[in-house]
Amino acid sequence: MTPPQMLPTTPGERPAAYRPDLLLALYERMVRIREFEEGVKFLFLEGTMPGTIHQCQGQEATAVGVCAALREDDFITSTFRGHGHALAKGLSVQELLDELFGATTGCCRGKGGSMHVGNMAKGMVPGIAIVGGGIPVAAGMALAFRMQRTARVVACFFGDGAVSEGAFHEGVNMAAIWNLPVIFVCENNLYGASTHVSQVMRDTHIARRVSSSYGIRADRVDGNEVLAVYATAQSAVAQCRAGNGPVFLELLTYRLTGHSRRDPCHYQPKDEREAWAAKDPIRRFEVTLKSQGLSDDASLEAVKTRIRREFEAAAAVARRQPLPTTQDLTTDVFA
Amino acid sequence: MRLEIKMPDAATTESEIRIVRWIVQPGQKVARGAPLLEIESDKAAMEVESVASGVLGEVRFQAGESVSVGDVIAVLEVDGDAPADVAAEPTSATPAKAAATRSPVTAKPAVRPATGGAGMFARNRAAVEAAQAAVAGIPLSLAQRTTAQRLQASKQTIPHFYLQTSFNAAAIMARRQAVETQPVTWDAFFVLAVAKAIRRFDRFRCRLDGERLVPAGTDAIGVAVGTEDELFVIPVHAPAGKTVADISDEIRRGVERLRGGDQEIRRMQPALMTVTNLGMCNVERFVPIINPPEAAILGAGKVRPTPVALASGELGVQHRGTLTLSVDHRIASGRYAAAFLEAIVTELEVME
């Protein structure tokens, strides 16, 4: 079960082309996601965090690289594994943590929880936990944007497991025939829950399948290289804004944690796990930043410490936020 | 500062969670994020990380005991630089109580009321458990449930047939007596004999996948090992290229790891075929259930002095052991399996 071959990541090899403040912002955003996920893991282990959680340690570069290419009024759709997408799109640590604690101050007023984080005012549809469920929704939103004659685009996040869903075909096909402004972002982390991609598809090169099946541009990119993701997403967004969408991106990445907190992840072979851990997107980007003279170990560590403190402060607040009452039972719901 | 460690919500149902072993012992240091203990839920066995850095103080539940989510299982003496939010939370307030004080009616689903709580266990755990068992029966462990499901599926879906024979154990007896130190386990001889014989029987190296036979993708021969109340299979990889002494050591090490609570070896691992031996339990012969998706299983009975009619026509006495080969009839015919069993017997009788 070797990971599929990746395209060469030319943009990543010359980060000097980007402004230093952008590069550092990308780094900070990835670290914020990692620290958030690690912090939440311990809150869960302590027994203070309710429910189960689906985390994205190791996949930070996909969310950050794609969302950095979007405008504030562009939209994303997300999945049950949405913490990273939310932080990348600009939701605050506090509104997310409050939501995870079920508090009324959360981004969905405590009624969504971990699997449904989002904030329409910040361009994120609350996470859709049904696998592939966000794909037709994204196509529909893109159609609305087109009919409203705006240049807004939708980035639709889903995993490799969603590709085998009927909703995937319906959404991608409709977007393709109508040239809708959607960037379909497939985070291929090799496993649909515990099932390896090779067990559910004969051709595991998803981008190639999409390109030949739907006649749209489909790129396969190293999803653990944030600049490669960013560069590809930028060109995909530009193409969609110009009315030549949709674009499909297959971002090859890996989950360095279980499918959920209850999953000890025994199905990931040790050597595969270690090989991907060596390709940790944050550590790789640190090497890039240092080699370009943009940062050093002390500054990077200072960023991590600051973000960790921010998280701890937010957690201390979140655990004391008010919970919904019976009066809130019938508000914000449709049925 | 003393930090109470609670059992995390690692189960998918309301069932209790069993402590497999403590990785860190009382008095030892542990870092935040390092594995503290191993647990077994209704769904999986897993390691639990420590939520803080410190020294493990009191351990309230030992390996083998089951607890509810939220029960305090240990106390950690936390370093001075404990996370601020953990330190700020009064340890006496359980999440359930904290939630209740914040809101008159809480819609929070995940904070489960502790079923019984730690006090119940602390008072007279044995008596309570005995009373519970009398009413509720004895719940199966994760391993027991897995074994039960797999064997039920095997017996219900695989058309078994059984071939029985015996073999002359003289060669093996001699080989075992020649070793002065630790005698080679009987299992090792069966593993080696099967590994050698199976090389000439392609169908037994396959498994059924729908309507085709596909290679099993492993060269391991499994050995069934029962612990106190659970059943496991230890795989011996590529045994045909090993000596019987090496195989014997490998099995012994596997058994030791099992008894030591090693999670890795408790996990189900694929094998070509399994060998199971009850000879040491005085069982003359028995009919084993195939360990799916394998094609067959060999059951070995007791080796004992047996009267036989010799080639000369006279009556003699040989040490003979019994063998039963349970076979998946979808994969092999009676004649084919008989030839395989004969090959196993030959390998056992010429064992050096």
Side-chain angles (χ1 to χ4, degrees):
Chain A
M1 289 191 185
T2 48
Q5 280 297 304
M6 296 183 187
L7 280 180
T9 56
T10 37
E13 288 162 10
R14 42 187 176 82
Y18 296 105
R19 291 192 351 245
D21 57 342
L22 169 79
L23 298 177
L24 292 171
L26 293 177
Y27 175 71
E28 185 163 327
R29 206 153 268 201
M30 286 201 290
V31 171
R32 180 164 293 121
I33 296 172
R34 176 69 57 89
E35 292 296 334
F36 184 90
E37 295 292 50
E38 286 293 301
V40 163
K41 179 179 80 180
F42 287 112
L43 290 174
F44 179 83
L45 285 174
E46 271 174 48
T48 33
M49 177 69 68
T52 189
I53 39 174
H54 302 80
Q55 304 199 286
C56 68
Q57 287 96 325
Q59 303 185 184
E60 293 87 352
T62 56
V64 169
V66 169
C67 290
L70 298 175
R71 293 196 317 223
E72 215 174 308
D73 65 341
D74 290 329
F75 262 85
I76 65 169
T77 66
S78 177
T79 67
F80 52 84
R81 198 183 308 288
H83 304 167
H85 302 145
L87 290 167
K89 190 67 177 70
L91 273 74
S92 72
V93 169
Q94 192 69 60
E95 67 184 313
L96 280 184
L97 267 179
D98 288 1
E99 187 60 37
L100 265 56
F101 273 100
T104 56
T105 45
C107 55
C108 294
R109 300 185 201 180
K111 292 177 178 176
S114 169
M115 290 206 273
H116 307 288
V117 294
N119 185 335
M120 293 298 278
K122 293 181 178 177
M124 180 179 183
V125 182
I128 299 167
I130 305 296
V131 174
I135 296 168
V137 173
M141 289 178 79
L143 177 62
F145 289 162
R146 245 261 303 275
M147 293 172 77
Q148 291 163 356
R149 299 185 182 282
T150 70
R152 292 157 80 181
V153 303
V154 185
C156 171
F157 287 97
F158 51 89
D160 43 280
V163 175
S164 302
E165 291 286 336
F168 173 83
H169 167 75
E170 294 172 26
V172 174
N173 188 59
M174 179 173 283
I177 55 172
W178 289 340
N179 298 106
L180 297 178
V182 195
I183 302 99
F184 292 107
V185 185
C186 177
E187 295 173 297
N188 181 356
N189 65 14
L190 300 183
Y191 293 90
S194 56
T195 308
H196 193 265
V197 280
S198 62
Q199 288 178 277
V200 294
M201 49 186 86
R202 185 169 275 197
D203 180 359
T204 55
H205 196 302
I206 298 173
R208 183 167 62 208
R209 290 171 55 203
V210 168
S211 171
S212 60
S213 305
Y214 301 102
I216 62 174
R217 171 184 158 194
D219 297 347
R220 172 178 260 207
V221 183
D222 179 350
N224 277 18
E225 172 67 80
V226 69
L227 291 179
V229 176
Y230 177 59
T232 311
Q234 269 190 315
S235 89
V237 169
Q239 186 176 328
C240 287
R241 281 205 215 288
N244 299 318
V247 176
F248 183 92
L249 304 182
E250 181 187 5
L251 308 181
L252 299 176
T253 185
Y254 200 74
R255 167 158 58 66
L256 296 175
T257 176
H259 166 72
S260 72
R261 282 311 310 159
R262 290 168 181 148
D263 169 19
C265 225
H266 295 322
Y267 46 83
Q268 289 184 347
K270 194 159 168 275
D271 48 352
E272 177 188 278
R273 214 179 151 80
E274 285 169 359
W276 279 94
K279 291 193 280 184
D280 183 316
I282 295 178
R283 263 186 282 154
R284 274 172 76 181
F285 198 45
E286 285 173 350
V287 172
T288 304
L289 291 175
K290 286 191 283 186
S291 70
Q292 294 294 316
L294 293 172
S295 197
D296 53 34
D297 285 330
S299 318
L300 297 175
E301 197 51 47
V303 170
K304 286 183 184 166
T305 307
R306 171 167 56 79
I307 289 173
R308 199 170 297 146
R309 295 229 168 97
E310 280 170 15
F311 176 87
E312 282 165 7
V317 171
R319 63 175 79 204
R320 285 170 182 76
Q321 298 283 37
L323 299 178
T325 66
T326 43
Q327 277 76 51
D328 302 316
L329 205 57
T330 56
T331 57
D332 309 311
V333 290
F334 296 99
Chain B
M1 192 199 76
R2 286 163 60 85
L3 176 69
E4 293 185 334
I5 304 292
K6 295 172 193 146
M7 178 56 75
D9 187 2
T12 53
T13 64
E14 298 286 325
S15 62
E16 292 200 321
I17 296 173
R18 194 170 76 93
I19 294 175
V20 175
R21 71 179 178 116
W22 286 93
I23 297 166
V24 178
Q25 302 304 319
Q28 286 181 338
K29 275 189 177 176
V30 61
R32 178 171 155 101
L36 181 64
L37 73 158
E38 279 175 12
I39 59 169
E40 201 169 77
S41 73
D42 57 331
K43 190 165 181 185
M46 65 186 88
E47 291 182 348
V48 175
E49 298 170 33
S50 179
V51 297
S53 298
V55 174
L56 185 62
E58 172 194 356
V59 165
R60 298 211 178 150
F61 295 96
Q62 302 301 327
E65 293 191 277
S66 294
V67 301
S68 299
V69 170
D71 282 349
V72 175
I73 53 174
V75 175
L76 201 63
E77 297 292 340
V78 179
D79 304 346
D81 61 344
D85 48 0
V86 173
E89 190 81 331
T91 47
S92 60
T94 64
K97 283 177 192 162
T101 53
R102 280 197 285 171
S103 168
V105 178
T106 169
K108 207 168 182 177
V111 184
R112 294 178 186 160
T115 50
M120 177 184 80
F121 296 100
R123 275 202 303 278
N124 191 346
R125 187 178 171 84
V128 171
E129 271 189 345
Q132 281 177 336
V135 179
I138 301 164
L140 297 184
S141 70
L142 176 70
Q144 288 170 334
R145 280 201 304 279
T146 307
T147 305
Q149 285 162 3
R150 288 171 49 77
L151 291 182
Q152 182 175 351
S154 171
K155 197 80 186 193
Q156 286 182 334
T157 62
I158 297 177
H160 288 61
F161 71 89
Y162 313 98
L163 302 180
Q164 300 197 319
T165 190
S166 67
F167 67 98
N168 183 350
I172 297 178
M173 301 280 284
R175 173 71 176 77
R176 292 187 86 223
Q177 278 158 8
V179 184
E180 288 168 2
T181 53
Q182 202 172 26
V184 175
T185 63
W186 279 95
D187 291 337
F189 293 102
F190 295 125
V191 165
L192 187 57
V194 167
K196 286 183 169 172
I198 207 168
R199 289 184 297 194
R200 281 172 283 131
F201 292 88
D202 295 346
R203 297 179 79 86
F204 284 107
R205 283 185 278 111
C206 288
R207 56 194 45 169
L208 196 65
D209 179 12
E211 294 185 344
R212 65 176 67 207
L213 291 180
V214 296
T218 171
D219 53 10
I221 301 294
V223 181
V225 176
T227 60
E228 275 173 33
D229 48 7
E230 293 176 333
L231 185 60
F232 297 94
V233 174
I234 296 174
V236 179
H237 295 283
K242 293 176 180 168
T243 67
V244 76
D246 287 344
I247 295 171
S248 179
D249 287 345
E250 202 172 324
I251 296 170
R252 281 210 171 90
R253 278 196 303 274
V255 172
E256 280 165 23
R257 284 173 63 194
L258 262 185
R259 305 248 150 92
D262 187 326
Q263 281 307 113
E264 189 68 32
I265 199 149
R266 286 167 66 91
R267 268 172 226 147
M268 204 187 69
Q269 298 172 70
L272 265 187
M273 190 179 138
T274 300
V275 168
T276 173
N277 175 13
L278 287 175
M280 62 293 191
C281 304
N282 237 1
V283 170
E284 286 187 14
R285 62 180 73 225
F286 67 105
V287 178
I289 301 173
I290 292 171
N291 181 24
E294 295 165 14
I297 185 168
L298 182 72
K302 186 177 170 58
V303 172
R304 54 178 186 152
T306 312
V308 287
L310 301 173
S312 60
E314 292 170 0
L315 205 57
V317 174
Q318 283 178 356
H319 275 92
R320 293 190 75 87
T322 64
L323 298 175
T324 302
L325 187 68
S326 303
V327 181
D328 184 342
H329 215 330
R330 300 170 301 180
I331 296 178
S333 69
R335 286 183 76 98
Y336 189 83
F340 177 47
L341 184 57
E342 183 58 35
I344 295 171
V345 168
T346 304
E347 294 292 348
L348 287 170
E349 292 186 343
V350 301
M351 193 69 70
E352 290 172 352

